[in-house]
């Protein structure tokens, strides 16, 4: 399990998948009763599948992790599982299911007073609401996520929220705001250390500008 987690952090996703699968195989073949580890292994495997863009496989493992959490009354991983169900369903275009799971994740993160992860799930809910054409809800989620991100001095999430708001303003045909939010997103993109994430924002803003 630990080797898989380290490999995932290093973006060695194929290695991570191998380690997580071996962890589950050992638990099953040797009949080791460690429910919390089994749940975490399924959730970690699912997260790695999401990172590889394999959302169907991810969804299966998140659902199994959720089932095991209920069966064993193990609640430690529930917020991450709910977030994962939201993200995997989002990747598959199942926006209704993603929205429901995202709101559950937000409730759990609020209960635990986990502000950084609230920022992330609020941003994801903003995107999903926009895809469902609920622009009012999308604006509320993006705005709250942006406020928290700025309070936490989180440049990456601040950048992502400005980019999301730029896309939303385009959807609403509020073109003056599109330019304002695009410029703010690009300003943050110049300074974030995660260049892959910054690159995604440049692509996103380029699409907005082209439209």
């Amino acid at each position: 399990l630990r080797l898989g987690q380290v490999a995932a952090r290093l973006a060695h996703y194929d290695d991570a998948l191998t380690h997580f699968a071996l962890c589950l195989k050992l638990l099953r073949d040797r009949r080791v009763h460690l429910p919390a580890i089994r749940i975490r292994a399924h959730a970690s495997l699912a997260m790695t599948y999401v990172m590889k863009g394999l959302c169907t496989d991810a969804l299966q493992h998140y659902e199994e992790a959720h089932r095991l959490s209920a069966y064993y009354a193990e609640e430690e991983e529930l917020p991450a599982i709910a977030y994962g169900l939201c993200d995997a369903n989002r990747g598959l275009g199942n926006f209704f299911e993603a929205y429901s799971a995202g709101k559950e994740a937000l409730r759990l993160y609020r209960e635990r007073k986990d502000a950084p992860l609230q920022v992330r799930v609020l941003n994801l809910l903003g995107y999903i609401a926009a895809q469902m054409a609920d622009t009012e809800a999308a604006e509320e989620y993006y705005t709250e996520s942006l406020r928290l991100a700025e309070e936490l001095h989180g440049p990456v999430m601040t950048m992502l929220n400005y980019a999301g708001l730029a896309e939303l303003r385009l959807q609403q045909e509020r073109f003056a705001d599109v330019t304002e939010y695009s410029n703010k997103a690009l300003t943050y993109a110049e300074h974030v250390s995660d260049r892959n994430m910054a690159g995604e924002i440049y692509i996103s803003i380029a699409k907005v500008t082209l439209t």
Side-chain angles (χ1 to χ4, degrees), residues 6-55:
V6 172
R9 290 193 192 99
L10 294 172
H12 296 169
Y13 298 125
D14 288 335
D15 288 344
L17 290 174
T18 298
H19 290 308
F20 293 137
L22 283 171
C23 176
L24 287 169
K25 185 176 187 300
L26 284 169
L27 289 169
R28 181 183 64 251
D29 291 352
R30 299 189 183 182
R31 298 182 181 179
V32 180
H33 186 68
L34 293 171
I37 298 299
R38 187 176 170 194
I39 291 164
R40 194 170 302 163
H42 276 292
S44 298
L45 189 60
M47 179 193 67
T48 309
Y49 276 127
V50 169
M51 299 304 293
K52 285 179 65 68
L54 302 172
C55 292

Side-chain angles (χ1 to χ4, degrees), residues 46 56 58-68 81 85 89:
T56 299
L59 189 59
Q60 292 175 357
H61 285 282
Y62 275 129
E63 288 175 342
E64 178 64 5
H66 191 270
R67 184 189 70 80
L68 291 170
I81 292 168
L85 285 168
N89 275 301

